[in-house]
Amino acid sequence: MKQPKRIAVTGAAGQIAYSLVFRIAAGEMLGNDQPVILQLLDIPESVTALQGVVMELEDCAYPLLQHVSVTADPNIGFKDCDIALLIGARPRSPGMERNDLLAANGEIFKIQGRALNDHANPNVKVLVVGNPANTNALIAMHNAPDLKPSQFTAMTRLDHNRALTTLAQRTGHMVSDVSQVCVWGNHSSTQYPDISNALVDGIDATTLIPENWITDSFIPTIQQRGAAIMAARGKSSAASAGFAAMDHIHDWIKGSNEWVSMVVPSDGSYGVPEGLMFSFPVKVKHGEYEIIKNLELGEFSQRMLDETTAELLQEREAIKDLLTD
Ligand code: NAD
Ligand code: LMR
């Protein structure tokens, strides 16, 4: 029997976590031979609700679930964790952009970055889901000086998955036929979902669709998908976000032969300022991601990257006080 992995989940009483923790306990994220310990963290007012989640987890009698703990203290919640899923944060309401949440949520990630630094397993892998995810991850990373920046990531896998399905539907193919899609930049309405290198059943996707479909339909659909879900459901995406978080961690740990999109600290590739948390196409092997290099960016793609970079720099400027003690 393998040693259990400790998985900390913040915002554990919220809607994304509710669609996620049962699947983690069932072995869907780390495999059906990997025991897990869940360390659930929320604010004090939500601890009673969390006890209900624990009862439900127990009632599933998962063979892989060794223990579940509940706390409102990040210093306890992150103790020795191998994986930290930072979901806890306010979601936006209709009419808001995700970066309107910076003031409400930024502080959370300062405290949690520090707690991860001091209490997590030194090799912890961190995924930030709470919005605005890139800049929250930047805050957490800066407040964890003893951890490597590469241990911090944020989520654009949901946008990536949206892009896969949208292209598959438009070309009349299965999602499994589509590869080399990627999402650049911010998890926001400036993100650049890019299919200029995509293949559909091995064929260059751009030869299968009219060029104006990419600019007039594909890109705005992906950029605005979160808002469209909110308009339809009255709440932000939850099950699809939980699933994308599992995909992200699964591939980070187990590897992926396909391109996937992850928000990671820029190493300066493609002219993106070093250290900015930016979504790139990556490949993952043996638990390490690598930014896919040397893709040709045409004039249009470069303009899209510049726009989303400019937004991230503005977000960074707005929270610069949270980046240091
Ligand atoms: P929710 O309101 O259902 O749940 C959020 C939970 O976080 C609540 O239980 C709340 O009490 C908790 N929380 C707040 N502050 C906390 C803190 N300091 N420590 C621990 N827990 C805290 O929201 P949700 O639908 O689960 O969404 C959570 C976040 O994820 C939102 O910011 C949302 O915008 C974001 N999100 C991101 C993506 C993405 O692709 N990156 C996708 C969907 C949603
Ligand atoms: C999403 O992309 O669905 C989430 O980030 C929620 C939102 O605010 O759009």
Side-chain angles (χ1 to χ4, degrees):
M1 194 69 161
K2 289 181 172 175
Q3 281 292 104
K5 293 278 183 212
R6 292 182 172 273
I7 302 162
V9 181
T10 77
Q15 54 154 4
I16 296 177
Y18 194 71
S19 72
L20 174 64
V21 292
F22 294 90
R23 304 185 71 166
I24 296 175
E28 283 187 57
M29 187 168 82
L30 299 181
N32 58 13
D33 60 346
Q34 178 57 65
V36 293
I37 293 172
L38 286 171
Q39 303 182 176
L40 307 182
L41 177 70
D42 209 290
I43 53 174
E45 296 82 341
S46 299
V47 164
T48 306
L50 266 188
Q51 301 290 3
V53 176
V54 176
M55 286 187 244
E56 287 206 70
L57 282 162
E58 287 169 354
D59 294 351
C60 293
Y62 291 115
L64 293 170
L65 184 59
Q66 286 210 349
H67 183 64
V68 190
S69 63
V70 166
T71 183
D73 180 349
N75 297 324
I76 297 172
F78 292 135
K79 181 100 184 76
D80 298 330
C81 66
D82 303 291
I83 294 166
L85 301 172
L86 307 193
I87 301 169
R90 233 183 85 185
R92 63 176 166 154
S93 317
M96 287 170 87
E97 285 294 330
R98 295 182 187 93
N99 62 13
D100 293 332
L101 294 168
L102 260 185
N105 290 339
E107 190 72 36
I108 295 174
F109 293 86
K110 183 176 172 82
I111 294 165
Q112 293 186 352
R114 175 48 68 181
L116 282 163
N117 187 75
D118 294 348
H119 301 285
N121 178 323
N123 296 314
V124 63
K125 285 179 160 52
V126 182
L127 168 62
V128 175
V129 175
N131 278 320
N134 298 54
T135 298
N136 288 337
L138 185 79
I139 296 169
M141 180 180 92
H142 274 264
N143 284 282
D146 301 333
L147 301 177
K148 292 193 289 255
S150 60
Q151 291 173 248
F152 287 82
T153 65
M155 191 164 96
T156 43
R157 184 59 175 264
L158 178 54
D159 313 282
H160 181 101
N161 288 347
R162 290 166 173 166
L164 286 175
T165 302
T166 305
L167 181 57
Q169 286 177 343
R170 180 63 177 80
T171 54
H173 278 260
M174 306 285 286
V175 167
S176 53
D177 293 333
V178 180
S179 59
Q180 298 190 179
V181 159
C182 66
V183 175
W184 302 89
N186 201 1
H187 173 63
S188 76
S189 51
T190 67
Q191 67 179 267
Y192 174 37
D194 177 12
I195 52 173
S196 53
N197 297 286
L199 299 175
V200 178
D201 211 8
I203 297 167
D204 177 350
T206 59
T207 63
L208 303 175
I209 43 175
E211 198 180 327
N212 67 351
W213 177 78
I214 301 178
T215 47
D216 299 351
S217 176
F218 174 74
I219 294 175
T221 297
I222 309 303
Q223 288 176 329
Q224 296 298 334
R225 185 66 159 191
I229 289 169
M230 204 174 308
R233 241 170 62 84
K235 292 182 194 159
S236 66
S237 64
S240 55
F243 194 72
M246 279 203 325
D247 275 348
H248 179 115
I249 294 291
H250 173 275
D251 289 350
W252 192 0
I253 288 178
K254 301 264 184 195
S256 157
N257 292 324
E258 291 293 342
W259 294 18
V260 290
S261 302
M262 285 170 77
V263 175
V264 302
S266 172
D267 61 358
S269 295
Y270 302 101
V272 177
E274 217 174 317
L276 204 62
M277 292 300 282
F278 196 90
S279 180
F280 289 100
V282 302
K283 280 198 172 169
V284 196
K285 230 196 247 168
H286 309 305
E288 304 290 334
Y289 56 77
E290 210 176 286
I291 296 170
I292 296 171
K293 301 285 171 70
N294 301 322
L295 297 173
E296 282 217 10
L297 296 180
E299 198 186 312
F300 175 77
S301 295
Q302 189 59 59
R303 205 162 3 102
M304 296 297 284
L305 257 70
D306 290 347
E307 204 178 306
T308 195
T309 301
E311 183 185 45
L312 281 166
L313 289 171
Q314 272 171 15
E315 288 185 18
R316 186 173 74 178
E317 181 60 24
I319 52 78
K320 62 176 188 294
D321 292 349
L322 296 176
L323 298 181
T324 48
D325 280 335

